[in-house]
Amino acid sequence: MTMEYEKQLENLAINLFEIDAVKFGEFTTKTGLKTPIYFDLRVIVSYPIIMDSISKLLYEFAVKDNNCDHLCGVPYTALPVATLLSIKAKMPMLMRRKESKSYGTKKMIEGHYKQGDTCLIIEDVVTSGSSVLETINDLRKEGLRAEEAIVILDREQTGRKNLEDNNVKLKSLFTMTQLLKILVANKKITEEMSANVKSYLQNVQAPVIATSLQRTLIPYEKRAEQATNVIAKKLFDIMAVKKTNLCLSVDLTTCTQILNLVEEVGDHICLLKTHVDIIEDFHLDFTKKIKEMAQRHNFLILEDRKYADIGNTVSLQHTKGLYKINEWADCVTAHSLPGEGILKALNDQDNERGVFLLAEMSSEGNLITPDYTEATAKMAAKYPHLITGFVCQKRDTFVDPGLIQLTPGVQLESSKDDLGQVYNTPEKVVLENGADVIVVGRGIVKAKNPKTQALVYKNRLWECYEKRISTSK
Ligand code: 5IU
């Protein structure tokens, strides 16, 4: 860095002190903690010359040579700063809404962008990194890549680590240590005050934020120990023992076809997913046979029933009629749409059972919004003993390592079907999107040799998982 730059940085530190953007003394934080230092960078909007110097310094320091497609300020303080940088760097800006949306499909991110675009984050002060992560999570939900953040000041209280854990690199104009040094050298604060602030910051570290990325770096056998639902625990154990995260979606229409295929591939799967209502010659004897196979080959059974009615009806659908699903399925899928009643109906205390709640779908044009996904995760959190995990497409859906991400829409041969299904590769769903158990249907069922193909999927998916957990070592 040039002398000129250093000088400007020093001037900025002094200016921030003089306008009371940084204050020393005894303050009480929002959470009731006493602190000897307090930042309020919101006041900078009243000082256009300081705004100008902040944006010039940030531009020189981190924006000029950055190749991101967009930049986005964390609301609110950083918004005007981001605007100035966007104009200076001719880098298009995105805006994230802070308020929760009041109606359906209103977007959280404003501006024009496409999936896979990169976005640089601008923030004023980082303490734990949680505000930066909130903005990043919303951007990631929209398919944007946000892996770099620049801030005016890093308080050096775990923010950097929390961001790194979420695959975000942090650059700061000042660290707290640098800021204190400048202020002491310019006789704005005493040595004692500086030492006082440093010891405070060392003792009061911001909490480490549990993240959805961390969950995906933990091996299945460890996650089994953290599972509350018995079926999640069993499934994690089976995956670790059999070294497979493959779920076969056996969408065939006669009992014999299903039983023959499962006999062939049973050793390669951890979970068998059925649609019992598509079987033309269904009889309860079939469920006995499939259960016997599940025991022999050590896999669990998921009836992909996608319950979506009021609790009372779901309770009847689950226990009565032709299929008696509650008697043989280890777990079922359900929509969160009708509300909690559906979970109350499925909350069978007497048996070891689980529910995968639908938080997202793989099909083109489905109406699920990021808000719906978030509300689904919140609803699940109230039934920890019942919920095995989520059927979803993206890692950000949940944080708890004891839950399982079940992801359908995987095929090696094609990228979609004629009826709206969208396929991804094993690499994409496991490494990028955080899938734990991966559903493959026609990729295996319609293959010339399903047994060989099941092995191909099993090996490729497991390699992806091993690669994923190895990045944490
Ligand atoms: N399935 C999806 N996408 C979803 C949900 C379920 O494909 O979002 I929720 C089911 C449908 C089918 C299986 O039974 O997973 C995928 O089969 P194919 O791999 O043949 O597309």
Side-chain angles (χ1 to χ4, degrees):
M1 291 292 163
T2 61
M3 288 285 284
E4 176 62 13
Y5 174 85
E6 295 290 340
K7 188 74 205 145
Q8 284 180 17
L9 208 57
E10 189 166 349
N11 282 340
L12 176 61
I14 296 166
N15 285 335
L16 290 176
F17 177 82
E18 284 172 349
I19 64 168
D20 272 352
V22 43
K23 288 192 262 194
F24 295 84
E26 199 173 292
F27 308 95
T28 308
T29 65
K30 265 186 281 179
T31 50
L33 288 172
K34 292 234 178 309
T35 162
I37 187 158
Y38 183 77
F39 285 93
D40 183 4
L41 266 74
R42 282 167 296 191
V43 300
I44 60 177
V45 290
S46 303
Y47 303 89
I49 293 173
I50 296 179
M51 287 289 273
D52 191 37
S53 90
I54 288 176
S55 62
K56 278 185 181 145
L57 282 165
L58 285 173
Y59 175 75
E60 287 297 323
F61 171 65
V63 183
K64 195 171 64 178
D65 300 320
N66 187 287
N67 293 322
C68 283
D69 301 309
H70 308 269
L71 57 75
C72 177
V74 176
Y76 289 102
T77 313
L79 287 183
V81 179
T83 313
L84 291 171
L85 283 169
S86 162
I87 293 164
K88 206 168 170 52
K90 310 260 180 310
M91 192 187 271
M93 181 161 126
L94 293 172
M95 237 181 356
R96 172 194 165 238
R97 291 182 172 278
K98 197 174 160 69
E99 307 78 17
S100 63
K101 293 169 289 173
S102 51
Y103 56 90
T105 54
K106 200 163 151 192
K107 286 166 72 179
M108 284 304 275
I109 307 296
E110 302 291 354
H112 284 169
Y113 56 87
K114 43 182 200 321
Q115 294 259 322
D117 277 1
T118 50
C119 185
L120 172 67
I121 309 299
I122 316 288
E123 171 65 312
D124 58 341
V125 182
V126 69
T127 306
S128 71
S130 61
S131 301
V132 171
L133 284 175
E134 268 175 31
T135 293
I136 283 183
N137 283 341
D138 278 343
L139 291 166
R140 288 180 175 169
K141 276 184 200 160
E142 295 298 320
L144 284 145
R145 283 170 46 210
E147 290 162 8
E148 294 169 74
I150 56 172
V151 301
I152 301 172
L153 178 85
D154 172 10
R155 284 180 57 122
E156 298 173 306
Q157 283 174 293
T158 66
R160 187 174 294 274
K161 163 123 192 18
N162 281 334
L163 291 173
E164 262 168 25
D165 287 347
N166 277 278
N167 199 21
V168 182
K169 229 170 73 199
L170 177 70
K171 272 187 161 185
S172 64
L173 210 49
F174 300 104
T175 59
M176 188 67 117
T177 314
Q178 287 168 327
L179 184 75
L180 292 171
K181 207 167 140 197
I182 296 172
L183 294 178
V184 170
N186 286 275
K187 304 209 169 2
K188 298 293 172 191
I189 58 168
T190 61
E191 289 276 7
E192 287 88 328
M193 178 56 87
S194 165
N196 185 9
V197 171
K198 275 190 197 156
S199 92
Y200 162 80
L201 293 175
Q202 259 161 26
N203 293 330
V204 186
Q205 287 285 305
V208 172
I209 304 166
T211 66
S212 51
L213 177 67
Q214 282 161 357
R215 142 175 82 82
T216 63
L217 301 178
I218 305 171
Y220 295 142
E221 59 272 25
K222 286 259 160 56
R223 290 175 63 183
E225 293 164 17
Q226 299 181 47
T228 310
N229 170 252
V230 269
I231 299 300
K233 189 174 167 40
K234 277 190 189 174
L235 194 48
F236 276 132
D237 280 335
I238 291 175
M239 289 196 272
V241 169
K242 287 177 75 176
K243 294 196 188 311
T244 177
N245 49 13
L246 171 63
C247 164
L248 174 69
S249 180
V250 64
D251 297 335
L252 292 167
T253 52
T254 69
C255 295
T256 321
Q257 282 174 331
I258 295 175
L259 293 170
N260 287 345
L261 180 59
V262 176
E263 192 60 66
E264 286 202 316
V265 304
D267 284 341
H268 303 320
I269 62 174
C270 60
L271 187 67
L272 181 74
K273 187 172 85 62
T274 54
H275 282 296
V276 79
D277 55 352
I278 65 173
I279 304 176
E280 285 170 350
D281 55 349
F282 178 85
H283 47 88
L284 279 174
D285 195 41
F286 163 78
T287 63
K288 281 200 198 98
K289 288 191 178 135
I290 206 87
K291 270 202 92 70
E292 179 277 317
M293 274 187 190
Q295 283 210 325
R296 195 154 39 81
H297 294 284
N298 195 22
F299 60 78
L300 297 182
I301 303 172
L302 167 67
E303 166 52 26
D304 192 5
R305 177 62 182 76
K306 295 192 182 69
Y307 292 116
D309 217 314
I310 59 165
N312 184 59
T313 306
V314 169
S315 176
L316 294 169
Q317 289 172 321
H318 192 48
T319 55
K320 307 284 178 192
L322 282 182
Y323 304 117
K324 312 260 186 286
I325 296 168
N326 70 317
E327 291 180 12
W328 53 270
D330 296 296
C331 44
V332 293
T333 53
H335 285 283
S336 54
L337 183 77
E340 264 178 66
I342 200 160
L343 297 183
K344 287 186 185 142
L346 295 170
N347 208 357
D348 175 356
Q349 311 277 1
D350 303 330
N351 289 300
E352 298 193 335
R353 293 288 183 258
V355 170
F356 277 99
L357 211 50
L358 261 85
E360 283 173 326
M361 290 195 73
S362 64
S363 47
E364 222 164 41
N366 72 76
L367 302 181
I368 293 179
T369 62
D371 266 4
Y372 181 92
T373 304
E374 204 175 315
T376 303
K378 283 206 180 112
M379 187 166 139
K382 294 191 195 165
Y383 296 82
H385 290 277
L386 177 67
I387 301 296
T388 307
F390 297 96
V391 189
C392 64
Q393 297 291 319
K394 294 197 212 86
R395 183 171 65 195
D396 289 343
T397 308
F398 66 99
V399 170
D400 185 348
L403 295 172
I404 293 176
Q405 174 175 339
L406 182 78
T407 301
V410 173
Q411 218 193 104
L412 297 171
E413 290 79 14
S414 51
S415 60
K416 51 187 186 168
D417 71 6
D418 299 334
L419 298 174
Q421 174 71 304
V422 179
Y423 290 118
N424 286 307
T425 60
E427 285 71 21
K428 170 104 177 156
V429 297
V430 176
L431 291 167
E432 225 174 286
N433 295 354
D436 296 314
V437 175
I438 298 86
V439 178
V440 181
R442 284 163 287 176
I444 292 172
V445 175
K446 298 263 188 237
K448 273 206 190 91
N449 186 337
K451 191 173 178 180
T452 321
Q453 202 57 3
L455 196 58
V456 168
Y457 276 97
K458 172 196 168 185
N459 290 338
R460 180 119 162 225
L461 289 164
W462 192 256
E463 269 167 34
C464 291
Y465 157 74
E466 288 201 313
K467 193 163 165 197
R468 180 171 95 182
I469 54 167
S470 72
T471 58
S472 68
K473 284 175 189 157

